[in-house]
C-alpha cells in the first residue's frame, strides 16, 4: 500500500455505500444476468470510483468461483455450507450443527451451553451450540462463522455474538437493516433463554441452559411441602426457628507501611495500588519468602466462576513459565487464595512514554520509538516460536525503564487474556469494556477472538508504534456511529498527517502492519523487526 493510497482511504460512509452497491451487483448476478461494473461506477463520484472498482472486481472474482454464470442455465448455485470459516473450522466441542428436529448431542450434558437455531429465512434449520467462551460473527462475507449469504437483506458485517455460557451478548455492527431482539431494534443486548433474534429475513431462537439455575429450580420445587391427600393435618414442629448462620469472615489483612489493603494473599505484604486493567487490579507488594518486591495482580473472575474454572485457569496458565526473555515480564508465582486469583511478577518501576520523549526532537523520538518496538518484537518473536500469542499488545502493557542509561522495554500480561477466557472466567465484551484495547486490536481478532494468530500481535505492534510516533490511535473512533465497525472497515489516518517527520519508509512499515487482511502484514515478528532496526542508526 502506497502513501497515496492511504491519503485516499475510503470513509466509513463510502464503505457503507459500496457495500450496498455490492449487494445490488450480487443480486443481479444471482438472477442470471451479467452485470456490468461500469454501470455501477457511473453512480459514484470520480474520486470514489477506485475504491468501488476494487470492491466490485473482488466480488466478481468470488462470484465467478462460487456461482459461475452459464448462458443456458443461469448461475450455478453451490451447496450452502452452514458454518463457513476462512481459517480453521470451530472446535467440534464448541459448535454443533443441528438439522431440523435433530436432538442436541449434549442433551444429557450438565454443563452450561448456549444454542442458536435458525427458525425462519433462507437458512432455516441451521444451528450451533456453544459450550465455552467464543465469538461469532454473522454476515454475508465468506469469513463469517455464521454465513448467511442467501439472505440478501443481511449486511456483510451484520452482528457479533460473544458467549461465555450461560452469558450471551449480541452487538449490532451498524447493519443497514438492523438487528432485532423480540421485535425491537437493538444496538447491543444480553440475550436470555427463548429470545428471538432477527435480521433481514432470518430469525433465530436462543436456548440457554444454566445448570446452576436448574439446580436452584429443583431445590425450590423439592422444598415446597406437599399437601397430604388423607389423614390429620400435620402437627406444628416444637423446635425453635432456625437462626441464619453468619458467613465465615476472611482473615483481616495486617497493617503494612502501605496502609490497609482490600485483599489478603498469604505470603505477600501488599502495598499501594499501582495499576488497574481489564482483568484486575495491580499492587506493589513484597514476597515474604524472598523479600523481593513484585507486582501482584489480583484477577477478577466473572460472577459465575466456579472452582473447576479456577483450577483450569491455573493449569493452563502454567505455560507462561516457559517465557524467559529479557523483554518479557517474568512470572514469579501464580495461584489462588480463596476467591482471589493472583499473579506475582517482577516489579518494574516504569514511567509514562511521554516522559521519555518529551525533551527530544521529533527525529530522536522516531529513533527511540523504533528502539522500543524492536525490543517488543524480539519478545513477540520468541513467544510466537513457542506457539504463544500475546493477544493484547498495547501501550498500557509495555513497561519502559532505564538501565545503565539505556531504555529497556518489557511486555506484560503475556497470554493471560487467552487463558482467562479459555477457562470461562471472563466477562463478555461490552462497548466500553474494550475501548482501551480496541484501537490496537486487529479486525481478525475482533471477529474471532479464540483463534488469534501471531499476525494479530503484529497488527497491535504496528498500532502501538503508530501511537508512539504520533500520540494518536491509528483509527480515530470518536464520532463513528459504531466503533467496532470502524475497526473492521475504516482505514488508518496516514501517519505522516499526524507526524510529518516520520520517514516514508517507516510510514510504509507501520501501515503494512495495519493491513486489514492478515496475509498482507509481515510474515513474522522477526521480519518486521529487521525492517524497523534500520531506523535505529
Amino acid at each position: 500500500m502506497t502513501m497515496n493510497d492511504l491519503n485516499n482511504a475510503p470513509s466509513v460512509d463510502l464503505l457503507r455505500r459500496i457495500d450496498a452497491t455490492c449487494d445490488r451487483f450480487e443480486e443481479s448476478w444471482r438472477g442470471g444476468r451479467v452485470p456490468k461494473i461500469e454501470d455501477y461506477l457511473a453512480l459514484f463520484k470520480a474520486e470514489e470510483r477506485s475504491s468501488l472498482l476494487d470492491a466490485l472486481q473482488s466480488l466478481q472474482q468470488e462470484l465467478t468461483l462460487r456461482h459461475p454464470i452459464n448462458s443456458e442455465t443461469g448461475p450455478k448455485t453451490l451447496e450452502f455450507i452452514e458454518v463457513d470459516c476462512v481459517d480453521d473450522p470451530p472446535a467440534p466441542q464448541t459448535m454443533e450443527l443441528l438439522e431440523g428436529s435433530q436432538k442436541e448431542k449434549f442433551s444429557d450434558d450438565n454443563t452450561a451451553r448456549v444454542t442458536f437455531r435458525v427458525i425462519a429465512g433462507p437458512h432455516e434449520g441451521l444451528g450451533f451450540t456453544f459450550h465455552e467462551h467464543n465469538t461469532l460473527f454473522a454476515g454475508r462475507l465468506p469469513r463469517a462463522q455464521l454465513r448467511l449469504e442467501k439472505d440478501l437483506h443481511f449486511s456483510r458485517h451484520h452482528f457479533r455474538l460473544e458467549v461465555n455460557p450461560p452469558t450471551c451478548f449480541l452487538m449490532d455492527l451498524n447493519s443497514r437493516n438492523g438487528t432485532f431482539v423480540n421485535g425491537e431494534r437493538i444496538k447491543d443486548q444480553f440475550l436470555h433463554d427463548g429470545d428471538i433474534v432477527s435480521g433481514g429475513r432470518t430469525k433465530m431462537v436462543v436456548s440457554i441452559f444454566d445448570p446452576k439455575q436448574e439446580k436452584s429450580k429443583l431445590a425450590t420445587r423439592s422444598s415446597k411441602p406437599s399437601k397430604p391427600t388423607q389423614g390429620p393435618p400435620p402437627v406444628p414442629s416444637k423446635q425453635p426457628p432456625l437462626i441464619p448462620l453468619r458467613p465465615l469472615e476472611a482473615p483481616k489483612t495486617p497493617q503494612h507501611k502501605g496502609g490497609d489493603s482490600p485483599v489478603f494473599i498469604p505470603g505477600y505484604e501488599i502495598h499501594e495500588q499501582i495499576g488497574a486493567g481489564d482483568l484486575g487490579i495491580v499492587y506493589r507488594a513484597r514476597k515474604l519468602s524472598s523479600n523481593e518486591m513484585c507486582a501482584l495482580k489480583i484477577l477478577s473472575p466473572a460472577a459465575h466462576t466456579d472452582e473447576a474454572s479456577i483450577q483450569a485457569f491455573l493449569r493452563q496458565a502454567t505455560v507462561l513459565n516457559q517465557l524467559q526473555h529479557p523483554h518479557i515480564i517474568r512470572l514469579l508465582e501464580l495461584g489462588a487464595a480463596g476467591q482471589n486469583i493472583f499473579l506475582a511478577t517482577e516489579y518494574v518501576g516504569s514511567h509514562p512514554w511521554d516522559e521519555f520523549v518529551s525533551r527530544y526532537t521529533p527525529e530522536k523520538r522516531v529513533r527511540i520509538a523504533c528502539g522500543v518496538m524492536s525490543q517488543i518484537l524480539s519478545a513477540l518473536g520468541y513467544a510466537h516460536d513457542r506457539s504463544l500469542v500475546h493477544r493484547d499488545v498495547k501501550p498500557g502493557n509495555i513497561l519502559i525503564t532505564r538501565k545503565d542509561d539505556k531504555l529497556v522495554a518489557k511486555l506484560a500480561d503475556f497470554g493471560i487474556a487467552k487463558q482467562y477466557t479459555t477457562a470461562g472466567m471472563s466477562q463478555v465484551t461490552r462497548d466500553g469494556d474494550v475501548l482501551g484495547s480496541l484501537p490496537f486490536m486487529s479486525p481478525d481478532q475482533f471477529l474471532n477472538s479464540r483463534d488469534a494468530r501471531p499476525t494479530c500481535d503484529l497488527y497491535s505492534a504496528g498500532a502501538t508504534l503508530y501511537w508512539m510516533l504520533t500520540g494518536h490511535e491509528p483509527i480515530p473512533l470518536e464520532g463513528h456511529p459504531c466503533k467496532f465497525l470502524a475497526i473492521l472497515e475504516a482505514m488508518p489516518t496516514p501517519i505522516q498527517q499526524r507526524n510529518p517527520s516520520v520517514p516514508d519508509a517507516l510510514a510504509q512499515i507501520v501501515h503494512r502492519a495495519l493491513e486489514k487482511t492478515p496475509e498482507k502484514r509481515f510474515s513474522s515478528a522477526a521480519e518486521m523487526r529487521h525492517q524497523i532496526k534500520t531506523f535505529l542508526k
Side-chain angles (χ1 to χ4, degrees), residues 341-447:
I341 304 171
F342 67 90
L343 291 91
T345 65
E346 66 173 309
Y347 177 75
V348 176
S350 63
H351 301 278
W353 167 253
D354 287 341
E355 286 187 12
F356 286 114
V357 297
S358 60
R359 63 181 181 272
Y360 295 116
T361 64
E363 291 76 14
K364 185 70 178 293
R365 176 171 179 158
V366 167
R367 193 156 61 251
I368 296 174
C370 289
V372 168
M373 187 49 61
S374 177
Q375 295 180 18
I376 297 303
L377 289 169
S378 173
L380 290 174
Y382 168 86
H384 294 167
D385 289 342
R386 288 157 178 76
S387 301
L388 295 174
V389 180
H390 189 284
R391 300 167 62 94
D392 196 20
V393 179
K394 59 184 179 182
N397 279 335
I398 298 177
L399 306 182
I400 305 174
T401 187
R402 289 186 181 275
K403 185 177 182 180
D404 299 331
D405 203 31
K406 294 183 179 180
L407 295 186
V408 177
K410 295 200 173 192
L411 198 51
D413 284 355
F414 214 114
I416 291 298
K418 166 69 172 178
Q419 310 303 338
Y420 204 64
T421 55
T422 300
M425 299 195 303
S426 66
Q427 306 283 4
V428 299
T429 302
R430 296 182 295 279
D431 190 354
D433 287 346
V434 297
L435 293 186
S437 298
L438 188 62
F440 306 94
M441 183 185 295
S442 68
D444 36 311
Q445 182 176 340
F446 172 71
L447 293 176

Side-chain angles (χ1 to χ4, degrees), residues 298-311:
I298 312 298
L299 304 183
S300 308
H304 61 269
T305 300
D306 53 21
E307 180 65 23
S309 296
I310 293 176
Q311 292 304 317

Side-chain angles (χ1 to χ4, degrees), residues 114 116 128 134 136 138 146 154 158-164 167-175 178-182 184-192 195-199 204 206 428-431 446 484:
V114 178
F116 293 81
F128 45 93
N134 212 325
L136 175 70
L146 176 56
F154 236 70
H158 200 97
F159 65 75
R160 179 182 189 258
L161 287 167
E162 182 169 0
V163 296
N164 192 11
T167 305
C168 182
F169 189 70
L170 182 147
M171 179 191 306
D172 180 72
L173 296 176
N174 205 29
S175 57
T179 300
F180 298 80
V181 176
N182 301 325
E184 294 186 8
R185 186 165 185 167
I186 59 95
K187 176 185 177 184
D188 52 52
Q189 182 170 315
F190 282 97
L191 299 180
H192 303 89
D195 281 349
I196 302 295
V197 178
S198 58
M204 293 180 286
V206 183
V428 299
T429 302
R430 296 182 295 279
D431 190 354
F446 172 71
F484 303 96

Side-chain angles (χ1 to χ4, degrees), residues 18-29:
I18 289 176
D19 182 68
T21 303
C22 287
D23 286 346
R24 294 194 297 271
F25 183 91
E26 183 174 351
E27 186 174 5
S28 177
W29 187 284

Side-chain angles (χ1 to χ4, degrees), residues 500-518:
S501 66
V502 174
D504 290 344
L506 180 57
Q508 291 175 6
I509 292 172
V510 173
H511 284 288
R512 179 180 173 185
L514 294 173
E515 285 282 0
K516 301 289 186 188
T517 306

